[in-house]
Amino acid sequence: MAQTVLLDVSGVLYQGSRAIPGAVQALSRLRAAGRQVRCLTNSTRRPKRRIVAKLQDLGFDIQPEEVFTPVAAALAWLERTGHSPHLLVHPALEEEFRGCKDGGPPAVVIGDAGEAFSYDNMNRAFRVLLEGAPLIALADNRVFLDGDGRLSLDAGPFIKVLEFAGDAKPKLFGKPDPEFFRAAVASTGAEPQQAAMIGDDAESDVAGALAAGLAAGYLVRTGKYRKGDESRCKPAPTATVADVQEAVDRLLAQDGE
């Protein structure tokens, strides 16, 4: 039985400014069936407080401690190692790093910076890497579904540029890093083999979760999903379903509920 269910946020629970039809009810059904729920997002264009507020405004029964973002793990690493962040992130995310120490050895921290991915900003980060700074990647997704309904470049391609030019191996903190999934599952008291993932990204969400040892990974045909995604990544999804409602149907039916 999947005691814990992990869900991606954008593309699974909501798209743009609206909840995906049936998603609020699907989350409620999981809770009513006694499942622990955690939301995992690689979104790095807004701080966690705004992600939680948006979910709550859309009607989702979600508390801050149930939402996992890569930033918290990166902040813990910075504090543990004594590094100071050289930020290449979206301006809206900078508030998350205001409490970081100054004066430590620099670490380049990169997220989805959007318009801040200018040549000057990329080149400054590149030069910091040349001095030996580590490269901290908050997420390495290739693309995301933009507000106009079309795919746009995410942080992944820009991380590859710095990795290539700066000869720096990035340290990843978001999906598909196995520890990101395992930390979310561990917060519920479950083991990875007692958890399932529901996502719209075959690579980062589903294959990443299965590689981390989760029992099941469901790929939804909402959000960034494109026809044939289920055959492009290994491990393959447990099932490809219409939406989060169908994923929850299957999970609960598998457990005889």
Side-chain angles (χ1 to χ4, degrees), residues 29 243-255 257:
R29 288 176 59 210
D243 52 25
V244 66
Q245 288 189 96
E246 185 179 347
V248 170
D249 286 343
R250 293 197 181 210
L251 274 168
L252 298 182
Q254 182 178 350
D255 296 337
E257 299 181 25

Side-chain angles (χ1 to χ4, degrees), residues 159-180:
I159 294 169
K160 288 297 183 184
V161 169
L162 292 178
E163 180 181 1
F164 172 73
D167 193 23
K169 179 69 173 177
K171 182 172 180 60
L172 180 64
F173 284 96
K175 297 173 291 185
D177 176 46
E179 291 310 311
F180 191 58

Side-chain angles (χ1 to χ4, degrees), residues 134-166:
L135 179 59
I136 305 303
L138 299 179
D140 69 349
N141 297 67
R142 302 171 192 268
V143 298
F144 71 98
L145 189 66
D146 216 329
D148 61 2
R150 300 175 66 187
L151 295 180
S152 289
L153 291 175
D154 210 319
F158 298 94
I159 294 169
K160 288 297 183 184
V161 169
L162 292 178
E163 180 181 1
F164 172 73

Side-chain angles (χ1 to χ4, degrees), residues 70-93:
V71 174
L75 288 171
W77 183 90
L78 290 168
E79 182 177 359
R80 184 171 67 252
T81 63
H83 284 81
S84 297
H86 175 98
L87 296 177
L88 183 53
V89 300
H90 195 279
L93 197 68

Side-chain angles (χ1 to χ4, degrees), residues 11-32:
V12 174
L13 297 181
Y14 66 70
Q15 189 60 59
S17 61
R18 297 184 177 183
I20 288 177
V24 172
Q25 294 81 359
L27 190 66
S28 295
R29 288 176 59 210
L30 286 173
R31 293 198 187 281

